[in-house]
Amino acid sequence: MTRTSGTQDGPLTLSGAGLPDWLAPVLRVAETVEPAQMSHFLPPENGSGRQSAVLILFGEGERGPELLLMERASSLRSHPGQPSFPGGALDPEDGDPRGDGPLRAALREAREETGLDPSGVQLFGVLPRLYIPVSRFVVTPVLGWWREPSPVGVVDPNETARVFTVPVADLTDPANRATAVHPRGHSGPAFLVASALVWGFTAGVIDRLLHFAGWERPWDRGKRVPLDWRA
């Protein structure tokens, strides 16, 4: 994809122009990171899986850089109650999954879930497509800069329980980091921030972004947090 500007009515493309200096390392990650560096779970080679996208939206709040997250409704069948990035499956009207479809889906889902105004978002990169085996989602993480912030909140309580922002400083604070341990035995990075336990796919992507952007601080990987059996 070329790094030029776009609108929701026309083709959506990516633009790295005019980003704040602190986002430069994240842009570099998008340009250089390899799929296997992001996760062991990569899309099936046979092309199966449900195409989806998430919006990793960076803004600037009272405490500096921050990320937009939401908590999924506990009634949902897929990943209930989990903090996550806004996002979801591609609809046919989103377009080509190999073109601007994921960009369009990420903005559409963010609007539907949080009330975000997409016109204030500058998309500047995508990360390698990843795979969530339990739900068979093939996920394209789309990176955005909240150039013109807009009010956000719960749009549909049946889908979203909470919408919130987390300062990057809290995500990099070693005191807020832990290893989440699933009852089935597997484990992964976790963040205890904003009265929430962020784990799973979302925590894994944040962990890799912090690492490859050079923002990670040494933390105690032996600090373990058990997950509920329903997770």
Side-chain angles (χ1 to χ4, degrees), residues 18-82:
L19 295 177
D21 291 342
W22 57 264
L23 268 177
V26 181
L27 177 60
R28 185 172 62 249
V29 172
E31 294 174 333
T32 61
V33 74
E34 297 293 332
Q37 293 177 303
M38 289 296 300
S39 175
H40 296 302
F41 299 109
L42 301 179
E45 294 183 0
N46 63 7
S48 64
R50 192 175 183 189
Q51 296 295 325
S52 63
V54 296
L55 179 63
I56 304 177
L57 183 60
F58 288 91
E60 188 142 17
E62 295 180 356
R63 295 180 53 208
E66 60 185 18
L67 271 178
L68 178 68
L69 295 178
M70 50 170 274
E71 185 176 312
R72 296 170 59 81
S74 59
S75 58
L76 291 175
R77 294 179 60 185
S78 178
H79 310 291
Q82 266 190 259

Side-chain angles (χ1 to χ4, degrees), residues 91-163:
D91 287 346
E93 58 266 29
D94 292 324
D96 185 0
R98 297 284 182 174
D100 70 352
L103 310 185
R104 200 173 297 278
L107 289 177
R108 175 184 54 76
E109 287 283 346
R111 182 184 69 247
E112 293 174 359
E113 293 175 331
T114 73
L116 173 79
D117 182 356
S119 67
V121 175
Q122 177 180 335
L123 302 181
F124 66 88
V126 294
L127 298 176
R129 293 188 308 147
L130 305 175
Y131 188 58
I132 304 179
V134 66
S135 56
R136 299 185 64 249
F137 278 116
V138 175
V139 186
T140 300
V142 179
L143 298 167
W145 159 236
W146 210 350
R147 182 172 35 82
E148 298 177 10
S150 56
V152 291
V154 174
V155 176
D156 183 354
N158 293 317
E159 290 193 5
T160 308
R162 181 165 67 116
V163 176

